[in-house]
């Protein structure tokens, strides 16, 4: 809704300037170009919104496979659109693509809603600014209105638990009831930080396995350390744990810890070490009396120094041992019994090693996890958050693996992707609660925004709230339209029922969304609102585009078969 | 009333038949094995005769099915295994737990045992084991249980609907709302509202009306007695000046909260409260026992006329009656 007419400021129409090296684009060509790109991208993603999505076919990207890729996930569709031929439009499309992709990485879902919301805010904003509004002031008031939306969403948030409620949430993301049910069970058990691995299955079925204790992706340094004829795994009971990142170059370096465990009548030892030479491995394998002492060596988990330091710290807290750190100049020469960690059980195979029942101090472990949780809450970096979440999941002592089956390899891969997105949404739902789904939560903010617009005196402020009040209805309108209904008629019917009601497009009737169990993860809806409104407000402040001249492309080599002479 | 029993070792746990008033059956888990009495603790017999153990089989926990009168099911915790009897403790089946052998510290049976067949075993160092087939097979379920030293275990009376259990560990309390398959800390609230600030929790008791009042009690080793009225989210300390020793046992009146009577075993004293833990008095000042009390059971409730079974560190099992004690000079 546009505020009452006021005299527009005179805008000097500036020509597009071309130079040899670059092209500079001014208004109104800037907005027009960006709108073209944004509309193209949003129109490609919009059909995927809602529980009755339509599919987008992407032309083959694999040279060997000519089959088009069929997608119903906005984030992936946006990622696969890598360039538009119209360079002005390309700026708008790539701006939005970046927003959607970052959102997908952060919360796993909500990209189609964000795209529709972004488009609504941007288009109405362009109309207002073209009529004389101030883009910078509009940005300020859009962000102020966003705070109101987030507050309203917080008030509507409810916390849920239990397998069936979680399965409901999963289904809103993956639209696959058996998969959703399985994910509901898994997350009911492992919780928001639990370690869940989702892997392609080998059959048509869904299968899950729960593993007790914690494990790291580092196997034994030699298969000779494994048990049995098949040499698949070794289990140690009442095991001592040597925690270090030291490099063992000579067998002599191992004498002090081995002498220590023999002296204390310890029957099994798991050595975590930075690296080990062949001669040292040979020395460990030369043990003639495994019944008296079993020694298993694995390498320190982690791909960089920071991850290795985290692994050593976690192992030390879990088992009550002291880490020997190369950077601190530690060596095993003066090792004492108190330096060793202990566990009820430890195991290792070629790829992983694990600990069950670490004998560290439980109070310290709980405090250690609380510290990592705080770090997790404070960081915005998605990679760091993932690493910290994995770390907490390990320390909580247990993991689940879900094998996703299907009829074809393609179906399995698509199902795995959907399962991963649903898992991310479930983590968010467990952490931050849920909101009435189907676009109802955002739409419910509309009366408050309209009241704010009525109370506002400043025209830019009034316009911002009107823009937001219109924009928050865009997702629910798109969902209803995608299901084949008339959005205006349906929304009129929903309005008659009052707050909390929405349109269940699967059952094709107006329902109370909470009672019907139709929810969206609150973190997704809030992240969508934040990402769409802040980035659209920022896009509205773009006044000039500068295109760098593209280097002349070298001709592609001719790959056609040679002509016969 | 006092019965000198023939056994001389520590009593770890006591369990009485739900139909104790009629059948007088009770069990005492002791270092030398499980003992059974069919005459309300007057005489005791070793219940493991059919096993013919070569040496005493230390028994650290015992629990009876809530439908004992019909199914005659008893579970006993021994090193590395849970024994199951389906004939009132005459013959036994063994179900091993895991290796290395865990020490079973507490056993609890689902109130809905007839339907779900769930039994839980708390252990020292190995967390909680769960059986869903009436004790035939056991599996460790410790997701989220950060402390595997289980000292107390309590199951919701409304377990069939809420699948809720609490465990007291060496570092506080954990709750499961998934039938013991996953656990969450309950001590993550702001300081002052937490239960025991990570102190060991030795005993737990859940209100018979937990489904409506959400009340449970936790007795700690050194931080006193706590009560939560919101399913363990926030806690209030009770009897701060009086209840300072280790709280080994908490018993609630079967009519709680209508009759808000509590009995706690604090160190060597039995203390009684008639006002939901606000004020306390000695259960009976005339009660004198030579050795330390280790456990207590109230098979017929906490009325003055109801008997109380008391296990001691010297292996005695006493049956005492407050009314009779009061009548004695």
């Amino acid at each position: 809704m546009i505020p009452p007419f006021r005299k527009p400021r005179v805008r000097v129409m500036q020509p597009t300037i071309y130079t040899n090296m670059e092209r500079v684009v001014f208004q109104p060509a800037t907005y027009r170009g960006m709108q073209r790109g944004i509309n193209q991208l949003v129109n490609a993603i919009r059909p995927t919104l809602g529980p009755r999505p339509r599919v987008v076919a992407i032309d083959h990207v694999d040279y060997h496979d000519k089959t088009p890729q069929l997608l119903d996930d906005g984030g992936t569709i946006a990622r696969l659109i890598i360039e538009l031929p119209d360079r002005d439009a390309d700026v708008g499309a790539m701006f939005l693509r970046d927003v959607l992709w970052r959102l997908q990485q952060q919360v796993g879902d909500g990209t189609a809603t964000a795209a529709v919301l972004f488009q609504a805010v941007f288009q109405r904003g362009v109309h207002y600014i073209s009529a004389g509004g101030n883009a910078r002031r509009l940005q300020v008031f859009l962000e102020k209105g966003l705070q109101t939306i987030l507050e309203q969403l917080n008030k509507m948030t409810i916390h849920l638990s239990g397998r069936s409620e979680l399965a409901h949430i999963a289904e809103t993301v993956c639209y696959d009831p058996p998969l959703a049910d399985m994910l509901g069970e898994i997350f009911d058990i492992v919780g928001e930080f639990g370690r869940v691995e989702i892997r392609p299955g080998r059959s048509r079925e869904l299968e899950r396995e729960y593993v007790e204790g914690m494990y790291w992706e580092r196997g034994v340094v030699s298969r000779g350390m494994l048990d049995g004829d098949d040499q698949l795994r070794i289990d140690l009971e009442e095991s001592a744990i040597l925690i270090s990142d030291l490099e063992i170059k000579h067998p002599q370096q191992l004498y002090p810890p081995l002498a220590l465990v023999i002296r204390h009548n310890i029957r099994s030892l798991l050595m975590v070490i930075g690296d080990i030479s062949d001669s040292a491995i040979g020395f460990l394998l030369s043990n003639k009396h495994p019944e008296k002492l079993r020694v298993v060596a694995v390498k320190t988990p982690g791909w960089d120094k920071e991850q290795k330091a985290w692994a050593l710290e976690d192992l030390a807290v879990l088992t009550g041992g002291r880490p020997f750190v190369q950077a601190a100049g530690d060596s095993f020469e003066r090792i004492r019994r108190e330096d060793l960690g202990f566990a009820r059980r430890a195991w290792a195979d070629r790829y992983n090693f694990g600990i069950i029942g670490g004998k560290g101090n439980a109070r310290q472990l709980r405090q250690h996890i609380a510290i990592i949780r705080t770090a997790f809450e404070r960081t915005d970096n998605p990679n760091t958050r993932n690493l910290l979440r994995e770390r907490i999941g390990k320390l909580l002592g247990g993991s689940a693996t879900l094998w996703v089956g299907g009829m074809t390899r393609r179906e399995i891969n698509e199902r795995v992707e959907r399962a991963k997105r649903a898992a991310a949404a479930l983590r968010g739902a467990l952490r931050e609660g849920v909101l009435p789904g189907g676009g109802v939560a955002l739409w419910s903010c509309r009366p408050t925004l309209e009241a704010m617009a009525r109370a506002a005196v400043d025209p830019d402020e009034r316009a911002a709230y009107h823009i937001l009040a219109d924009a928050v209805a865009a997702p629910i309108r798109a969902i209803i339209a995608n299901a084949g209904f008339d959005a205006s008629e349906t929304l009129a019917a929903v309005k008659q029922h009052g707050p909390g009601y929405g349109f269940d497009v699967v059952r094709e009737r107006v329902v109370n969304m909470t009672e019907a169990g139709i929810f969206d993860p609150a973190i997704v809806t809030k992240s969508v609102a934040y990402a769409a409104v802040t980035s659209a407000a920022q896009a509205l402040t773009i006044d000039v585009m500068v295109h760098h001249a593209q280097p002349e492309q070298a001709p592609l080599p001719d790959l056609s078969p040679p002509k016969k002479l | 009333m006092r019965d000198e029993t023939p056994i001389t070792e520590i009593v770890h746990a006591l369990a009485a038949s739900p139909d104790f008033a009629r059948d007088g059956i009770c069990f005492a888990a002791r270092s030398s094995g499980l003992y059974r009495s069919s005459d309300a603790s007057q005489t005791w017999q070793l219940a493991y005769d059919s096993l013919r153990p070569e040496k005493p089989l230390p028994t650290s926990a015992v629990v009876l099915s809530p439908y004992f009168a019909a199914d005659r099911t008893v579970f006993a915790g021994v090193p590395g295994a849970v024994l199951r009897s389906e004939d009132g403790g005459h013959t036994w089946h063994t179900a091993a737990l895991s290796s290395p052998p865990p020490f079973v510290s507490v056993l609890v049976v689902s109130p809905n045992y007839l339907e779900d067949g769930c039994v839980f075993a708390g252990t020292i160092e190995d967390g909680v084991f769960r059986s869903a087939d009436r004790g035939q097979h056991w599996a460790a379920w410790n997701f989220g249980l950060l402390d595997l030293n289980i000292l107390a275990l309590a199951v919701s009376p409304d377990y069939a609907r809420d699948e809720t259990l609490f465990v007291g560990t060496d570092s506080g309390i954990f709750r499961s709302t998934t039938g013991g398959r996953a656990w969450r800390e309950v001590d993550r609230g702001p300081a002052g509202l937490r239960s025991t600030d990570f102190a060991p929790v030795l005993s737990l008791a859940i209100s018979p009306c937990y489904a409506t009042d959400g009340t449970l009690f936790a007795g700690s080793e050194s931080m006193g007695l706590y009560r939560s009225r919101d399913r363990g989210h926030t806690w209030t300390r009770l009897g701060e000046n009086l209840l300072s020793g280790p709280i080994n046992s908490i018993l609630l009146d079967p009519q709680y909260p209508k009759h808000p009577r509590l009995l706690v075993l604090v160190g060597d004293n039995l203390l009684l409260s008639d006002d939901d833990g606000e004020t306390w008095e000695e259960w009976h000042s005339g009660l004198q026992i030579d050795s330390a009390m280790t456990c207590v059971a109230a098979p017929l409730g906490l009325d003055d006329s109801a008997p109380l079974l008391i296990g001691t560190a010297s292996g005695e099992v006493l049956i005492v009656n407050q009314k009779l004690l009061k009548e004695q000079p």
Side-chain angles (χ1 to χ4, degrees):
Chain A
M1 193 175 289
I2 303 298
F5 175 78
R6 70 178 185 179
K7 192 177 176 185
R9 279 176 281 165
V10 176
R11 295 177 72 85
V12 179
M13 303 300 284
Q14 299 194 46
T16 302
I17 300 172
Y18 294 92
T19 69
N20 286 340
M21 294 303 292
E22 55 194 21
R23 190 164 67 89
V24 183
V25 185
F26 295 96
Q27 295 290 20
T30 301
Y31 276 159
R32 283 181 193 152
M34 285 184 69
Q35 267 184 314
R36 282 198 303 277
I38 288 164
N39 288 346
Q40 278 193 49
L41 192 61
V42 175
N43 291 342
I45 294 170
R46 185 195 302 274
T48 67
L49 184 54
R52 280 195 175 167
R54 280 168 287 171
V55 173
V56 174
I58 305 266
D59 199 5
H60 64 274
V61 284
D62 185 349
Y63 180 77
H64 301 288
D65 187 356
K66 299 285 183 188
T67 320
Q69 202 171 350
L70 303 178
L71 297 169
D72 61 359
D73 160 28
T76 311
I77 295 164
R79 187 167 59 92
L80 291 175
I81 298 175
I82 51 175
E83 191 177 18
L84 298 184
D86 174 351
R87 294 192 70 194
D88 292 357
D90 191 50
V91 172
M94 293 305 110
F95 185 95
L96 177 56
R97 175 184 185 265
D98 180 58
V99 172
L100 301 181
W101 186 238
R102 273 189 287 131
L103 182 69
Q104 170 93 330
Q105 283 193 308
Q106 278 171 10
V107 294
D109 193 30
T111 46
T113 311
V116 169
L117 192 58
F118 180 100
Q119 185 190 38
V121 174
F122 185 78
Q123 281 191 340
R124 287 161 179 75
V126 167
H127 288 159
Y128 177 71
I129 293 164
S130 302
N134 182 303
R136 190 58 78 180
R137 282 174 57 77
L138 188 68
Q139 182 188 23
V140 170
F141 291 119
L142 283 172
E143 287 177 359
K144 194 175 165 189
L146 170 65
Q147 290 310 314
T148 304
I149 293 173
L150 295 176
E151 283 164 17
Q152 291 292 309
L153 294 177
N154 281 337
K155 282 181 193 167
M156 283 183 260
T157 301
I158 50 174
H159 289 273
L160 48 77
S161 61
R163 176 181 174 167
S164 59
E165 289 181 347
L166 292 171
H168 258 304
I169 291 293
E171 199 175 336
T172 61
V173 179
C174 67
Y175 309 120
D176 183 337
L179 180 62
D181 191 49
M182 192 73 90
L183 285 167
E185 181 201 288
I186 288 171
F187 276 91
D188 191 27
I189 288 174
V190 305
E192 93 186 68
F193 288 103
R195 193 176 184 187
V196 179
E197 290 193 27
I198 297 169
R199 297 178 182 170
R202 293 185 198 89
S203 70
R204 295 179 187 179
E205 306 298 324
L206 293 163
E207 294 172 54
R208 84 294 203 194
E209 182 189 20
Y210 296 101
V211 179
E212 194 194 355
M214 54 269 330
Y215 69 91
W216 289 262
E217 287 89 5
R218 282 289 183 276
V220 288
V221 295
S222 164
R223 284 187 67 177
M225 292 174 179
L226 299 176
D227 253 349
D229 296 335
D230 49 7
Q231 294 192 319
L232 290 177
R233 176 181 161 117
I234 180 163
D235 289 278
L236 305 173
E237 289 184 1
E238 296 292 356
S239 176
I241 319 283
L242 179 64
I243 308 157
S244 81
D245 66 351
L246 305 190
E247 286 182 23
I248 308 297
K249 292 177 182 165
H250 309 291
Q252 291 85 336
Q253 289 174 266
L254 296 171
Y255 292 174
L258 292 176
L260 178 79
V261 295
I262 291 167
R263 198 163 56 243
H264 286 91
N265 203 25
I266 292 167
R267 295 292 180 90
S268 51
L269 173 67
L270 174 70
M271 301 175 78
V272 180
I273 42 183
D275 204 356
I276 185 165
S277 67
D278 288 344
S279 60
I281 292 173
F283 167 69
L284 290 176
L285 292 176
S286 66
N287 178 11
K288 295 277 194 304
H289 298 286
E291 71 284 0
K292 289 184 180 169
L293 174 64
R294 299 296 302 261
V295 182
V296 175
V298 296
K299 289 190 182 176
T300 314
W303 302 108
D304 58 29
K305 278 184 183 173
E306 188 182 36
Q307 287 184 34
K308 285 185 180 182
W310 284 355
L312 292 179
E313 191 184 357
D314 293 348
L315 277 163
V317 175
L318 272 171
T319 63
R322 175 175 85 85
F324 290 81
V325 183
Q326 189 153 10
D330 289 344
S331 79
F332 294 141
E333 276 178 26
R334 291 183 184 174
I335 188 170
R336 298 169 304 161
R337 192 181 189 280
E338 304 85 83
D339 297 329
L340 294 172
F342 286 90
R344 286 285 277 172
R345 281 176 282 160
W347 60 269
D349 60 24
R350 287 172 64 189
Y351 311 105
N352 305 296
F353 78 93
I355 283 171
I356 301 164
K359 295 194 182 185
N361 183 312
R363 271 170 225 108
Q364 278 180 13
L365 174 61
R366 293 176 71 174
Q367 284 158 0
H368 181 64
I369 292 174
I371 291 167
I372 304 174
R373 269 187 216 265
T374 307
F376 174 85
E377 302 294 346
R378 285 185 181 164
T379 183
D380 289 331
N381 184 318
N383 290 335
T384 310
R385 278 176 81 89
N386 277 341
L387 289 170
L388 290 173
R389 184 174 51 69
E390 279 178 20
R391 207 175 154 199
I392 295 168
K394 278 194 182 95
L395 291 167
L396 288 176
S399 60
T401 305
L402 172 65
W403 280 278
V404 180
M407 299 286 279
T408 62
R409 178 56 50 193
R410 182 185 292 273
E411 187 196 337
I412 289 172
N413 290 341
E414 283 170 6
R415 244 181 144 191
V416 165
E417 284 307 312
R418 286 206 300 271
K420 284 181 179 172
R421 276 191 283 133
L426 283 175
R427 286 189 198 283
L430 282 164
R431 195 163 60 246
E432 300 227 0
V434 293
L435 288 162
V440 168
L442 282 171
W443 190 51
S444 300
C445 301
R446 188 181 163 106
T448 310
L449 291 164
E450 284 173 340
M452 286 171 70
R454 283 194 295 274
V457 179
D458 186 291
D460 290 325
E461 185 175 6
R462 193 163 58 238
Y465 300 151
H466 276 305
I467 288 168
L468 288 175
D470 278 356
V472 292
I476 194 171
R477 296 184 80 91
I479 290 169
I480 294 169
N482 283 349
F485 295 87
D486 182 274
S488 299
E489 267 181 33
T490 311
L491 280 181
V494 172
K495 261 186 186 173
Q496 282 184 337
H497 283 78
Y501 280 80
F503 187 65
D504 181 347
V505 294
V506 176
R507 292 183 206 130
E508 301 184 358
R509 60 171 183 242
V510 177
V511 294
N512 182 310
M513 303 302 265
T514 308
E515 285 172 10
I518 300 171
F519 296 114
D520 283 334
I523 192 169
V524 173
T525 309
K526 286 193 274 186
S527 301
V528 161
Y530 184 84
V533 175
T534 54
S535 51
Q538 193 187 22
L540 287 168
T541 62
I542 297 172
D543 221 32
V544 179
M545 287 193 283
V546 178
H547 295 299
H548 287 283
Q550 285 182 325
E552 197 173 320
Q553 288 190 337
L556 290 170
D558 185 6
L559 297 176
S560 57
K563 290 172 188 168
K564 285 182 182 174
L565 292 174
Chain B
M1 257 187 185
R2 187 165 172 152
D3 180 303
E4 292 290 338
T5 56
I7 45 178
T8 56
E9 292 155 51
I10 189 167
V11 180
H12 295 285
L14 293 164
S17 159
D19 203 16
F20 184 79
R22 195 181 55 80
D23 61 21
I25 294 175
C26 52
F27 291 84
R30 306 165 67 157
S31 308
S32 58
L34 182 72
Y35 288 80
R36 181 184 193 275
S37 170
S38 307
D39 51 10
S41 171
Q42 300 304 309
T43 59
W44 294 87
Q45 301 82 37
L46 184 63
Y48 293 153
D49 281 344
S50 63
L51 290 173
R52 294 196 187 95
E54 289 177 4
K55 55 183 181 180
L57 193 53
T59 305
S60 47
V62 60
V63 69
L64 272 60
S65 155
Y67 306 96
F68 178 79
D71 63 19
R72 315 297 288 171
T73 301
V74 187
F75 295 95
V78 297
V82 175
L83 305 182
R84 182 181 85 258
S85 168
E86 288 168 352
D87 57 4
H90 295 289
T91 60
W92 296 88
H93 308 277
T94 307
L97 295 179
S98 66
S99 185
F103 178 88
V104 179
S105 52
V106 58
L107 283 165
V108 168
V109 177
S110 158
N112 192 36
Y113 178 76
L114 197 64
E115 301 287 324
D116 61 27
C118 281
V119 196
F120 303 92
T123 67
I124 302 296
E125 292 197 310
D126 290 289
V128 176
F129 286 77
R130 178 181 189 270
S131 167
D133 58 1
R134 301 175 197 283
Q136 293 179 55
H137 301 92
W138 294 81
W141 280 92
N142 296 320
F143 276 81
L145 192 56
L146 301 174
D147 189 340
L148 301 180
N149 292 302
I150 309 299
L151 305 173
L153 181 51
V155 61
S156 160
D158 197 27
Y159 178 83
R161 197 183 56 79
D162 62 20
E163 293 199 309
T164 297
L165 294 111
F166 289 87
V167 290
T169 71
D170 231 1
S171 65
I173 304 170
F174 291 79
R175 174 182 48 224
S176 168
T177 53
T178 54
R181 286 174 296 179
W183 300 88
R184 306 282 185 266
E185 295 172 270
V186 303
D187 286 327
R188 292 188 57 211
L193 295 175
R194 290 183 200 145
S195 60
T196 58
D197 273 326
F198 305 146
V201 172
L202 305 178
S203 51
L204 291 165
I206 294 190
S207 160
C209 297
Y210 178 78
T212 50
D213 65 17
T215 300
L216 73 148
F217 294 83
S220 71
E221 188 176 51
S222 55
M223 302 284 286
L225 179 70
Y226 286 78
R227 180 186 61 209
S228 169
R229 292 203 184 282
D230 54 7
R231 297 166 200 279
H233 292 288
T234 57
W235 296 82
T236 309
R237 186 167 176 186
L238 303 170
E240 200 156 334
N241 299 322
L242 198 60
L243 306 176
S244 54
I247 300 190
N248 289 308
S249 209
I250 308 168
L251 300 179
L252 301 185
D253 192 287
Q255 299 296 314
Y256 184 95
K258 194 176 167 191
H259 295 159
R261 178 172 262 208
L262 285 79
L263 181 78
V264 295
L265 176 56
V266 189
D268 266 350
N269 296 312
L270 279 171
L271 297 179
L272 189 71
S273 170
D274 276 317
D275 53 7
D276 207 13
E278 298 303 322
T279 59
W280 295 86
E281 58 178 333
E282 274 198 74
W283 185 73
H284 189 270
S285 53
L287 179 66
Q288 290 192 343
I289 299 172
D290 296 337
S291 61
M293 291 182 269
T294 54
C295 52
V296 60
L300 298 177
L302 294 179
D303 285 347
D304 284 352
S305 58
L308 207 61
L309 292 168
I310 300 171
T312 70
S314 61
E316 291 175 320
V317 177
L318 313 175
I319 182 158
V320 289
N321 180 313
Q322 179 159 247
K323 198 174 178 184
L324 290 179
L325 279 171
K326 279 179 181 170
E327 286 166 4
Q328 285 173 1

